[in-house]
Amino acid sequence: MGNCCNKPSTSTPPTNQNTDPAPHTTTNNTTNNTTATSTTKITNRACFGAGCYWGTEKFFKIDFGRKRYPESLIKGDVGFMGPPGAQPNPSYREVCEGTTGHVEVFDMEYSGGEIGMEKMYEELVRFFFQFHDPTTLNRQRNDKGTQYASVIYCYDSVQKEIATRVKNELQALIDDGKVSCFSEKTVTTAIKDATEFFPAHAEHQEYLMKNPKGYCNHKIRFADWP
C-alpha cells in the first residue's frame, strides 16, 4: 500500500489563501410565529485534520458535500495549519519531516442550508469522526507522524463548544460499547483554535477526484450515530 508522504512535490509556492468570513446571521421562528433575527458568532469556515489530506478533502467534498448535504455547498483547499507562530508557507516535504508542527488539513467554507449554520457545523464534526480513526494518536493506518494528527481547528467559540460536545458524546458511546469500530478506546482528537492556513500546491488539490484510484486510507467506519 502506498504512503501519503509519497505525494508528488513541486517548488511552486502555495497560493489562494482564504480570508476570514463575516459573522453569520440567522433567522429563527419564535413561539408566537413572529420572526426574530440574531447574529451568531459561528463562521462559515471550518478546518479539520484527519490524516492524509487527500482523503479528508474527498470525504468532506464528495461524501458529505455532494451525497449527504448538497446544500452545504462545501468548497475549500487542502494544506497545512500549525501552532501559533509556526513557520509560514512550509513546503510539503518540511511538513512531512515533522519539524514544523503543521498538520495536514482540509480548510473549507460551507453553507447552513435549511438546517442552519450551527447544525451544519455539528453534522460536519459528526461526519469527521465517522470516516477516520480518532483513537490512534498521530496516526491513520500506514501514515504516522504529527502531521497526520486528528485535529479540529475552530474559528470561534461556538465551533469549539460544538466540537467538544460531539467529541465527548463519541467517547461516551465508546465507553458504553455502542461504537466499537476504532483501534483504541480513547478519543485523542485535539480541539484547537485555528491559526493561519497555508494551501498546498495545486497538484495536491482535489487529488482523489482527479485520481479516483489514488492512495486513501479513509472509510466510513460507522454509518449512523447510535
Side-chain angles (χ1 to χ4, degrees):
M1 182 178 288
N3 186 286
C4 204
C5 274
N6 291 328
K7 301 168 187 167
S9 62
T10 178
S11 59
T12 305
T15 59
N16 190 32
Q17 188 161 319
N18 294 326
T19 57
D20 290 330
H24 176 73
T25 300
T26 58
T27 301
N28 301 308
N29 292 326
T30 60
T31 55
N32 62 357
N33 294 323
T34 61
T35 300
T37 301
S38 62
T39 301
T40 68
K41 294 181 180 179
I42 195 166
T43 71
N44 69 336
R45 189 173 173 187
C47 186
F48 297 89
C52 177
Y53 53 29
W54 289 346
T56 307
E57 176 187 42
K58 180 264 181 185
F59 271 84
F60 274 125
K61 276 189 175 179
I62 304 298
D63 297 80
F64 185 92
R66 296 185 189 176
K67 297 179 181 179
R68 294 196 177 197
Y69 288 97
E71 69 272 26
S72 63
L73 303 176
I74 289 176
K75 60 181 180 179
D77 295 309
V78 299
F80 315 108
M81 189 167 286
Q87 172 186 330
N89 294 316
S91 70
Y92 175 73
R93 287 299 165 190
E94 288 173 326
V95 173
C96 203
E97 289 170 0
T99 59
T100 68
H102 291 85
V103 176
E104 290 195 18
V105 298
F106 176 57
D107 189 77
M108 72 178 85
E109 292 183 0
Y110 66 98
S111 172
E114 294 184 357
I115 66 175
M117 293 295 290
E118 291 188 22
K119 181 61 177 174
M120 187 65 76
Y121 183 76
E122 180 177 333
E123 291 301 314
L124 287 168
V125 175
R126 291 182 182 279
F127 188 69
F128 162 79
F129 283 122
Q130 289 174 256
F131 73 79
H132 83 296
D133 189 340
T135 69
T136 50
L137 184 64
N138 298 330
R139 178 173 65 86
Q140 291 297 309
R141 298 177 68 182
N142 289 351
D143 296 330
K144 300 178 182 180
T146 54
Q147 69 271 31
Y148 300 120
S150 175
V151 186
I152 303 174
Y153 287 104
C154 301
Y155 281 102
D156 55 59
S157 61
V158 179
Q159 289 187 352
K160 184 172 287 188
E161 183 278 325
I162 293 171
T164 301
R165 172 166 51 82
V166 175
K167 175 184 174 180
N168 291 340
E169 181 180 334
L170 178 61
Q171 184 62 63
L173 291 171
I174 294 173
D175 293 343
D176 292 342
K178 295 179 180 179
V179 171
S180 58
C181 55
F182 299 128
S183 300
E184 307 295 339
K185 299 295 185 182
T186 301
V187 178
T188 63
T189 301
I191 299 174
K192 300 181 178 182
D193 291 332
T195 57
E196 188 169 6
F197 170 70
F198 300 100
H201 298 134
E203 69 270 23
H204 285 195
Q205 307 297 336
E206 298 192 332
Y207 182 83
L208 289 177
M209 287 74 126
K210 302 169 187 173
N211 303 276
K213 296 183 179 180
Y215 176 74
C216 181
N217 60 21
H218 296 92
K219 64 180 181 180
I220 299 297
R221 295 172 180 272
F222 63 104
D224 300 295
W225 282 66

